[in-house]
């Protein structure tokens, strides 16, 4: 994927995130993303 497409996707994600009014939903989104990052990092360590 090109950097331009990734940049546009990141902007769309940020824009959508800021539209979320509920702090509980925002917290859940951040928590989910952090969990996915941890999974990805564990998988990368297994491959190394």
């Amino acid at each position: 994927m090109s950097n331009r497409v990734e940049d546009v996707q990141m902007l769309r994600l940020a824009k959508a995130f800021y539209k979320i009014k509920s702090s509980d939903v925002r917290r859940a989104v951040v928590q989910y993303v952090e969990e996915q990052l941890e999974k990805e990092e564990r998988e990368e360590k297994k491959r190394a």
Side-chain angles (χ1 to χ4, degrees):
M1 196 176 317
S2 72
N3 284 339
R4 184 175 180 180
V5 172
E6 289 174 354
D7 290 346
V8 171
Q9 287 179 331
M10 290 302 295
L11 289 171
R12 289 178 61 204
L13 285 168
K15 191 175 179 181
F17 183 80
Y18 285 115
K19 287 182 180 180
I20 298 170
K21 291 180 175 51
S22 169
S23 60
D24 290 338
V25 173
R26 280 184 174 209
R27 191 175 304 113
V29 169
V30 171
Q31 192 171 16
Y32 175 78
V33 171
E34 289 174 339
E35 288 170 2
Q36 296 307 307
L37 177 60
E38 288 173 7
K39 271 188 200 176
E40 192 174 292
E41 288 173 343
R42 281 193 303 268
E43 288 176 9
E44 286 178 9
K45 284 182 181 178
K46 285 180 184 178
R47 288 185 211 139

PDB file of all heavy atoms in Angstrom, residues 12-41:
ATOM      1  N   ARG A  12      -8.645   9.505   8.009  1.00  0.00           N
ATOM      2  CA  ARG A  12     -10.043   9.071   8.165  1.00  0.00           C
ATOM      3  C   ARG A  12     -10.275   8.481   9.544  1.00  0.00           C
ATOM      4  O   ARG A  12     -11.302   8.742  10.182  1.00  0.00           O
ATOM      5  CB  ARG A  12     -10.402   8.048   7.089  1.00  0.00           C
ATOM      6  CG  ARG A  12     -10.525   8.654   5.696  1.00  0.00           C
ATOM      7  CD  ARG A  12     -10.825   7.613   4.654  1.00  0.00           C
ATOM      8  NE  ARG A  12     -12.087   6.967   4.934  1.00  0.00           N
ATOM      9  CZ  ARG A  12     -12.409   5.747   4.497  1.00  0.00           C
ATOM     10  NH1 ARG A  12     -11.559   5.062   3.770  1.00  0.00           N
ATOM     11  NH2 ARG A  12     -13.576   5.224   4.793  1.00  0.00           N
ATOM     12  N   LEU A  13      -9.321   7.675  10.024  1.00  0.00           N
ATOM     13  CA  LEU A  13      -9.446   7.092  11.360  1.00  0.00           C
ATOM     14  C   LEU A  13      -9.455   8.165  12.442  1.00  0.00           C
ATOM     15  O   LEU A  13     -10.262   8.120  13.373  1.00  0.00           O
ATOM     16  CB  LEU A  13      -8.305   6.107  11.619  1.00  0.00           C
ATOM     17  CG  LEU A  13      -8.416   4.767  10.924  1.00  0.00           C
ATOM     18  CD1 LEU A  13      -7.092   4.019  11.039  1.00  0.00           C
ATOM     19  CD2 LEU A  13      -9.545   3.955  11.513  1.00  0.00           C
ATOM     20  N   ALA A  14      -8.543   9.131  12.331  1.00  0.00           N
ATOM     21  CA  ALA A  14      -8.470  10.205  13.317  1.00  0.00           C
ATOM     22  C   ALA A  14      -9.763  11.022  13.312  1.00  0.00           C
ATOM     23  O   ALA A  14     -10.311  11.340  14.375  1.00  0.00           O
ATOM     24  CB  ALA A  14      -7.273  11.103  13.031  1.00  0.00           C
ATOM     25  N   LYS A  15     -10.249  11.327  12.138  1.00  0.00           N
ATOM     26  CA  LYS A  15     -11.480  12.110  12.011  1.00  0.00           C
ATOM     27  C   LYS A  15     -12.661  11.361  12.639  1.00  0.00           C
ATOM     28  O   LYS A  15     -13.451  11.947  13.390  1.00  0.00           O
ATOM     29  CB  LYS A  15     -11.745  12.377  10.527  1.00  0.00           C
ATOM     30  CG  LYS A  15     -12.823  13.365  10.242  1.00  0.00           C
ATOM     31  CD  LYS A  15     -12.897  13.631   8.738  1.00  0.00           C
ATOM     32  CE  LYS A  15     -13.976  14.606   8.400  1.00  0.00           C
ATOM     33  NZ  LYS A  15     -14.072  14.836   6.954  1.00  0.00           N
ATOM     34  N   ALA A  16     -12.756  10.077  12.367  1.00  0.00           N
ATOM     35  CA  ALA A  16     -13.836   9.266  12.936  1.00  0.00           C
ATOM     36  C   ALA A  16     -13.708   9.185  14.452  1.00  0.00           C
ATOM     37  O   ALA A  16     -14.700   9.298  15.180  1.00  0.00           O
ATOM     38  CB  ALA A  16     -13.827   7.870  12.321  1.00  0.00           C
ATOM     39  N   PHE A  17     -12.472   9.014  14.929  1.00  0.00           N
ATOM     40  CA  PHE A  17     -12.246   8.908  16.369  1.00  0.00           C
ATOM     41  C   PHE A  17     -12.698  10.178  17.081  1.00  0.00           C
ATOM     42  O   PHE A  17     -13.353  10.122  18.118  1.00  0.00           O
ATOM     43  CB  PHE A  17     -10.771   8.634  16.651  1.00  0.00           C
ATOM     44  CG  PHE A  17     -10.465   8.449  18.105  1.00  0.00           C
ATOM     45  CD1 PHE A  17     -10.718   7.240  18.730  1.00  0.00           C
ATOM     46  CD2 PHE A  17      -9.935   9.483  18.851  1.00  0.00           C
ATOM     47  CE1 PHE A  17     -10.441   7.064  20.079  1.00  0.00           C
ATOM     48  CE2 PHE A  17      -9.653   9.313  20.195  1.00  0.00           C
ATOM     49  CZ  PHE A  17      -9.914   8.102  20.807  1.00  0.00           C
ATOM     50  N   TYR A  18     -12.358  11.335  16.523  1.00  0.00           N
ATOM     51  CA  TYR A  18     -12.724  12.599  17.167  1.00  0.00           C
ATOM     52  C   TYR A  18     -14.228  12.863  17.131  1.00  0.00           C
ATOM     53  O   TYR A  18     -14.729  13.664  17.923  1.00  0.00           O
ATOM     54  CB  TYR A  18     -11.951  13.767  16.562  1.00  0.00           C
ATOM     55  CG  TYR A  18     -10.522  13.779  17.043  1.00  0.00           C
ATOM     56  CD1 TYR A  18      -9.467  13.575  16.179  1.00  0.00           C
ATOM     57  CD2 TYR A  18     -10.228  13.975  18.390  1.00  0.00           C
ATOM     58  CE1 TYR A  18      -8.156  13.570  16.628  1.00  0.00           C
ATOM     59  CE2 TYR A  18      -8.921  13.969  18.855  1.00  0.00           C
ATOM     60  CZ  TYR A  18      -7.896  13.764  17.965  1.00  0.00           C
ATOM     61  OH  TYR A  18      -6.601  13.750  18.418  1.00  0.00           O
ATOM     62  N   LYS A  19     -14.941  12.184  16.255  1.00  0.00           N
ATOM     63  CA  LYS A  19     -16.403  12.340  16.218  1.00  0.00           C
ATOM     64  C   LYS A  19     -17.093  11.526  17.304  1.00  0.00           C
ATOM     65  O   LYS A  19     -18.256  11.768  17.608  1.00  0.00           O
ATOM     66  CB  LYS A  19     -16.940  11.924  14.845  1.00  0.00           C
ATOM     67  CG  LYS A  19     -16.631  12.927  13.764  1.00  0.00           C
ATOM     68  CD  LYS A  19     -17.234  12.493  12.447  1.00  0.00           C
ATOM     69  CE  LYS A  19     -16.937  13.494  11.358  1.00  0.00           C
ATOM     70  NZ  LYS A  19     -17.515  13.079  10.071  1.00  0.00           N
ATOM     71  N   ILE A  20     -16.378  10.571  17.900  1.00  0.00           N
ATOM     72  CA  ILE A  20     -16.961   9.753  18.963  1.00  0.00           C
ATOM     73  C   ILE A  20     -17.124  10.624  20.200  1.00  0.00           C
ATOM     74  O   ILE A  20     -16.167  11.208  20.696  1.00  0.00           O
ATOM     75  CB  ILE A  20     -16.064   8.533  19.285  1.00  0.00           C
ATOM     76  CG1 ILE A  20     -15.944   7.630  18.067  1.00  0.00           C
ATOM     77  CG2 ILE A  20     -16.612   7.767  20.477  1.00  0.00           C
ATOM     78  CD1 ILE A  20     -14.900   6.534  18.222  1.00  0.00           C
ATOM     79  N   LYS A  21     -18.348  10.702  20.688  1.00  0.00           N
ATOM     80  CA  LYS A  21     -18.623  11.571  21.829  1.00  0.00           C
ATOM     81  C   LYS A  21     -18.441  10.858  23.167  1.00  0.00           C
ATOM     82  O   LYS A  21     -18.042  11.460  24.152  1.00  0.00           O
ATOM     83  CB  LYS A  21     -20.043  12.120  21.726  1.00  0.00           C
ATOM     84  CG  LYS A  21     -20.192  13.112  20.576  1.00  0.00           C
ATOM     85  CD  LYS A  21     -21.604  13.633  20.513  1.00  0.00           C
ATOM     86  CE  LYS A  21     -21.794  14.704  19.479  1.00  0.00           C
ATOM     87  NZ  LYS A  21     -21.332  14.442  18.166  1.00  0.00           N
ATOM     88  N   SER A  22     -18.699   9.572  23.196  1.00  0.00           N
ATOM     89  CA  SER A  22     -18.638   8.812  24.440  1.00  0.00           C
ATOM     90  C   SER A  22     -17.193   8.507  24.823  1.00  0.00           C
ATOM     91  O   SER A  22     -16.449   7.894  24.055  1.00  0.00           O
ATOM     92  CB  SER A  22     -19.411   7.502  24.283  1.00  0.00           C
ATOM     93  OG  SER A  22     -19.155   6.651  25.371  1.00  0.00           O
ATOM     94  N   SER A  23     -16.824   8.910  26.037  1.00  0.00           N
ATOM     95  CA  SER A  23     -15.463   8.618  26.489  1.00  0.00           C
ATOM     96  C   SER A  23     -15.262   7.119  26.697  1.00  0.00           C
ATOM     97  O   SER A  23     -14.160   6.609  26.532  1.00  0.00           O
ATOM     98  CB  SER A  23     -15.146   9.383  27.777  1.00  0.00           C
ATOM     99  OG  SER A  23     -16.030   9.017  28.811  1.00  0.00           O
ATOM    100  N   ASP A  24     -16.330   6.399  27.024  1.00  0.00           N
ATOM    101  CA  ASP A  24     -16.227   4.950  27.184  1.00  0.00           C
ATOM    102  C   ASP A  24     -15.927   4.273  25.849  1.00  0.00           C
ATOM    103  O   ASP A  24     -15.116   3.355  25.786  1.00  0.00           O
ATOM    104  CB  ASP A  24     -17.515   4.374  27.768  1.00  0.00           C
ATOM    105  CG  ASP A  24     -17.723   4.755  29.223  1.00  0.00           C
ATOM    106  OD1 ASP A  24     -16.726   5.084  29.905  1.00  0.00           O
ATOM    107  OD2 ASP A  24     -18.883   4.730  29.678  1.00  0.00           O
ATOM    108  N   VAL A  25     -16.563   4.735  24.800  1.00  0.00           N
ATOM    109  CA  VAL A  25     -16.321   4.162  23.472  1.00  0.00           C
ATOM    110  C   VAL A  25     -14.911   4.515  23.013  1.00  0.00           C
ATOM    111  O   VAL A  25     -14.193   3.659  22.488  1.00  0.00           O
ATOM    112  CB  VAL A  25     -17.374   4.643  22.445  1.00  0.00           C
ATOM    113  CG1 VAL A  25     -17.016   4.174  21.045  1.00  0.00           C
ATOM    114  CG2 VAL A  25     -18.752   4.158  22.848  1.00  0.00           C
ATOM    115  N   ARG A  26     -14.481   5.745  23.257  1.00  0.00           N
ATOM    116  CA  ARG A  26     -13.113   6.139  22.899  1.00  0.00           C
ATOM    117  C   ARG A  26     -12.103   5.262  23.624  1.00  0.00           C
ATOM    118  O   ARG A  26     -11.139   4.795  23.049  1.00  0.00           O
ATOM    119  CB  ARG A  26     -12.849   7.599  23.267  1.00  0.00           C
ATOM    120  CG  ARG A  26     -13.378   8.580  22.291  1.00  0.00           C
ATOM    121  CD  ARG A  26     -12.962   9.962  22.721  1.00  0.00           C
ATOM    122  NE  ARG A  26     -13.343  10.917  21.708  1.00  0.00           N
ATOM    123  CZ  ARG A  26     -12.686  12.037  21.485  1.00  0.00           C
ATOM    124  NH1 ARG A  26     -11.641  12.343  22.203  1.00  0.00           N
ATOM    125  NH2 ARG A  26     -13.083  12.860  20.555  1.00  0.00           N
ATOM    126  N   ARG A  27     -12.341   5.042  24.900  1.00  0.00           N
ATOM    127  CA  ARG A  27     -11.443   4.208  25.698  1.00  0.00           C
ATOM    128  C   ARG A  27     -11.406   2.786  25.136  1.00  0.00           C
ATOM    129  O   ARG A  27     -10.346   2.179  25.027  1.00  0.00           O
ATOM    130  CB  ARG A  27     -11.899   4.195  27.159  1.00  0.00           C
ATOM    131  CG  ARG A  27     -10.907   3.590  28.110  1.00  0.00           C
ATOM    132  CD  ARG A  27     -11.343   3.703  29.569  1.00  0.00           C
ATOM    133  NE  ARG A  27     -11.614   5.078  29.969  1.00  0.00           N
ATOM    134  CZ  ARG A  27     -12.826   5.551  30.296  1.00  0.00           C
ATOM    135  NH1 ARG A  27     -13.876   4.756  30.288  1.00  0.00           N
ATOM    136  NH2 ARG A  27     -13.002   6.811  30.643  1.00  0.00           N
ATOM    137  N   ALA A  28     -12.568   2.268  24.757  1.00  0.00           N
ATOM    138  CA  ALA A  28     -12.639   0.914  24.196  1.00  0.00           C
ATOM    139  C   ALA A  28     -11.873   0.824  22.880  1.00  0.00           C
ATOM    140  O   ALA A  28     -11.190  -0.170  22.624  1.00  0.00           O
ATOM    141  CB  ALA A  28     -14.100   0.506  23.996  1.00  0.00           C
ATOM    142  N   VAL A  29     -11.973   1.854  22.057  1.00  0.00           N
ATOM    143  CA  VAL A  29     -11.261   1.874  20.777  1.00  0.00           C
ATOM    144  C   VAL A  29      -9.754   1.852  21.020  1.00  0.00           C
ATOM    145  O   VAL A  29      -9.026   1.060  20.420  1.00  0.00           O
ATOM    146  CB  VAL A  29     -11.663   3.104  19.925  1.00  0.00           C
ATOM    147  CG1 VAL A  29     -10.732   3.275  18.738  1.00  0.00           C
ATOM    148  CG2 VAL A  29     -13.109   2.995  19.474  1.00  0.00           C
ATOM    149  N   VAL A  30      -9.288   2.698  21.920  1.00  0.00           N
ATOM    150  CA  VAL A  30      -7.853   2.766  22.213  1.00  0.00           C
ATOM    151  C   VAL A  30      -7.375   1.437  22.785  1.00  0.00           C
ATOM    152  O   VAL A  30      -6.322   0.918  22.394  1.00  0.00           O
ATOM    153  CB  VAL A  30      -7.547   3.935  23.187  1.00  0.00           C
ATOM    154  CG1 VAL A  30      -6.108   3.868  23.673  1.00  0.00           C
ATOM    155  CG2 VAL A  30      -7.826   5.263  22.499  1.00  0.00           C
ATOM    156  N   GLN A  31      -8.165   0.875  23.684  1.00  0.00           N
ATOM    157  CA  GLN A  31      -7.798  -0.405  24.292  1.00  0.00           C
ATOM    158  C   GLN A  31      -7.704  -1.502  23.231  1.00  0.00           C
ATOM    159  O   GLN A  31      -6.755  -2.294  23.223  1.00  0.00           O
ATOM    160  CB  GLN A  31      -8.830  -0.780  25.350  1.00  0.00           C
ATOM    161  CG  GLN A  31      -8.431  -1.900  26.241  1.00  0.00           C
ATOM    162  CD  GLN A  31      -9.423  -2.065  27.392  1.00  0.00           C
ATOM    163  OE1 GLN A  31     -10.540  -1.555  27.362  1.00  0.00           O
ATOM    164  NE2 GLN A  31      -9.009  -2.791  28.403  1.00  0.00           N
ATOM    165  N   TYR A  32      -8.650  -1.542  22.307  1.00  0.00           N
ATOM    166  CA  TYR A  32      -8.636  -2.536  21.244  1.00  0.00           C
ATOM    167  C   TYR A  32      -7.385  -2.384  20.373  1.00  0.00           C
ATOM    168  O   TYR A  32      -6.704  -3.365  20.068  1.00  0.00           O
ATOM    169  CB  TYR A  32      -9.893  -2.412  20.372  1.00  0.00           C
ATOM    170  CG  TYR A  32      -9.872  -3.325  19.180  1.00  0.00           C
ATOM    171  CD1 TYR A  32     -10.161  -4.681  19.315  1.00  0.00           C
ATOM    172  CD2 TYR A  32      -9.530  -2.844  17.923  1.00  0.00           C
ATOM    173  CE1 TYR A  32     -10.116  -5.528  18.216  1.00  0.00           C
ATOM    174  CE2 TYR A  32      -9.486  -3.684  16.818  1.00  0.00           C
ATOM    175  CZ  TYR A  32      -9.780  -5.025  16.977  1.00  0.00           C
ATOM    176  OH  TYR A  32      -9.728  -5.857  15.893  1.00  0.00           O
ATOM    177  N   VAL A  33      -7.071  -1.154  20.000  1.00  0.00           N
ATOM    178  CA  VAL A  33      -5.910  -0.907  19.145  1.00  0.00           C
ATOM    179  C   VAL A  33      -4.627  -1.314  19.865  1.00  0.00           C
ATOM    180  O   VAL A  33      -3.738  -1.938  19.267  1.00  0.00           O
ATOM    181  CB  VAL A  33      -5.857   0.576  18.704  1.00  0.00           C
ATOM    182  CG1 VAL A  33      -4.551   0.887  18.006  1.00  0.00           C
ATOM    183  CG2 VAL A  33      -7.039   0.890  17.799  1.00  0.00           C
ATOM    184  N   GLU A  34      -4.530  -1.000  21.142  1.00  0.00           N
ATOM    185  CA  GLU A  34      -3.339  -1.381  21.902  1.00  0.00           C
ATOM    186  C   GLU A  34      -3.200  -2.900  21.983  1.00  0.00           C
ATOM    187  O   GLU A  34      -2.105  -3.438  21.868  1.00  0.00           O
ATOM    188  CB  GLU A  34      -3.390  -0.774  23.308  1.00  0.00           C
ATOM    189  CG  GLU A  34      -3.173   0.723  23.308  1.00  0.00           C
ATOM    190  CD  GLU A  34      -3.361   1.363  24.662  1.00  0.00           C
ATOM    191  OE1 GLU A  34      -4.022   0.773  25.541  1.00  0.00           O
ATOM    192  OE2 GLU A  34      -2.855   2.473  24.844  1.00  0.00           O
ATOM    193  N   GLU A  35      -4.329  -3.603  22.162  1.00  0.00           N
ATOM    194  CA  GLU A  35      -4.288  -5.073  22.198  1.00  0.00           C
ATOM    195  C   GLU A  35      -3.819  -5.640  20.869  1.00  0.00           C
ATOM    196  O   GLU A  35      -3.023  -6.584  20.835  1.00  0.00           O
ATOM    197  CB  GLU A  35      -5.670  -5.628  22.537  1.00  0.00           C
ATOM    198  CG  GLU A  35      -6.081  -5.399  23.978  1.00  0.00           C
ATOM    199  CD  GLU A  35      -7.542  -5.738  24.230  1.00  0.00           C
ATOM    200  OE1 GLU A  35      -8.250  -6.185  23.292  1.00  0.00           O
ATOM    201  OE2 GLU A  35      -7.988  -5.547  25.377  1.00  0.00           O
ATOM    202  N   GLN A  36      -4.290  -5.068  19.772  1.00  0.00           N
ATOM    203  CA  GLN A  36      -3.884  -5.540  18.450  1.00  0.00           C
ATOM    204  C   GLN A  36      -2.393  -5.298  18.225  1.00  0.00           C
ATOM    205  O   GLN A  36      -1.702  -6.136  17.651  1.00  0.00           O
ATOM    206  CB  GLN A  36      -4.710  -4.860  17.348  1.00  0.00           C
ATOM    207  CG  GLN A  36      -6.173  -5.200  17.395  1.00  0.00           C
ATOM    208  CD  GLN A  36      -6.439  -6.697  17.406  1.00  0.00           C
ATOM    209  OE1 GLN A  36      -5.952  -7.426  16.548  1.00  0.00           O
ATOM    210  NE2 GLN A  36      -7.179  -7.161  18.388  1.00  0.00           N
ATOM    211  N   LEU A  37      -1.904  -4.162  18.687  1.00  0.00           N
ATOM    212  CA  LEU A  37      -0.481  -3.859  18.562  1.00  0.00           C
ATOM    213  C   LEU A  37       0.349  -4.859  19.358  1.00  0.00           C
ATOM    214  O   LEU A  37       1.366  -5.362  18.864  1.00  0.00           O
ATOM    215  CB  LEU A  37      -0.197  -2.438  19.047  1.00  0.00           C
ATOM    216  CG  LEU A  37       1.260  -2.010  19.038  1.00  0.00           C
ATOM    217  CD1 LEU A  37       1.856  -2.080  17.636  1.00  0.00           C
ATOM    218  CD2 LEU A  37       1.397  -0.614  19.617  1.00  0.00           C
ATOM    219  N   GLU A  38      -0.079  -5.171  20.568  1.00  0.00           N
ATOM    220  CA  GLU A  38       0.635  -6.148  21.383  1.00  0.00           C
ATOM    221  C   GLU A  38       0.672  -7.517  20.708  1.00  0.00           C
ATOM    222  O   GLU A  38       1.711  -8.178  20.694  1.00  0.00           O
ATOM    223  CB  GLU A  38      -0.008  -6.259  22.767  1.00  0.00           C
ATOM    224  CG  GLU A  38       0.246  -5.053  23.646  1.00  0.00           C
ATOM    225  CD  GLU A  38      -0.539  -5.098  24.944  1.00  0.00           C
ATOM    226  OE1 GLU A  38      -1.184  -6.120  25.253  1.00  0.00           O
ATOM    227  OE2 GLU A  38      -0.505  -4.077  25.665  1.00  0.00           O
ATOM    228  N   LYS A  39      -0.450  -7.932  20.121  1.00  0.00           N
ATOM    229  CA  LYS A  39      -0.500  -9.203  19.390  1.00  0.00           C
ATOM    230  C   LYS A  39       0.497  -9.206  18.248  1.00  0.00           C
ATOM    231  O   LYS A  39       1.233 -10.169  18.042  1.00  0.00           O
ATOM    232  CB  LYS A  39      -1.905  -9.425  18.802  1.00  0.00           C
ATOM    233  CG  LYS A  39      -2.864 -10.127  19.669  1.00  0.00           C
ATOM    234  CD  LYS A  39      -4.100 -10.430  18.840  1.00  0.00           C
ATOM    235  CE  LYS A  39      -5.300 -10.684  19.698  1.00  0.00           C
ATOM    236  NZ  LYS A  39      -6.512 -10.887  18.895  1.00  0.00           N
ATOM    237  N   GLU A  40       0.490  -8.114  17.488  1.00  0.00           N
ATOM    238  CA  GLU A  40       1.390  -8.007  16.335  1.00  0.00           C
ATOM    239  C   GLU A  40       2.846  -8.060  16.782  1.00  0.00           C
ATOM    240  O   GLU A  40       3.672  -8.731  16.154  1.00  0.00           O
ATOM    241  CB  GLU A  40       1.099  -6.692  15.607  1.00  0.00           C
ATOM    242  CG  GLU A  40       1.748  -6.577  14.265  1.00  0.00           C
ATOM    243  CD  GLU A  40       1.303  -5.343  13.535  1.00  0.00           C
ATOM    244  OE1 GLU A  40       0.115  -5.283  13.141  1.00  0.00           O
ATOM    245  OE2 GLU A  40       2.147  -4.432  13.355  1.00  0.00           O
ATOM    246  N   GLU A  41       3.161  -7.370  17.864  1.00  0.00           N
ATOM    247  CA  GLU A  41       4.540  -7.369  18.360  1.00  0.00           C
ATOM    248  C   GLU A  41       4.953  -8.757  18.836  1.00  0.00           C
ATOM    249  O   GLU A  41       6.090  -9.174  18.615  1.00  0.00           O
ATOM    250  CB  GLU A  41       4.688  -6.340  19.483  1.00  0.00           C
ATOM    251  CG  GLU A  41       4.652  -4.914  18.980  1.00  0.00           C
ATOM    252  CD  GLU A  41       4.622  -3.887  20.099  1.00  0.00           C
ATOM    253  OE1 GLU A  41       4.314  -4.234  21.261  1.00  0.00           O
ATOM    254  OE2 GLU A  41       4.907  -2.710  19.799  1.00  0.00           O
TER     255      GLU A  41
END
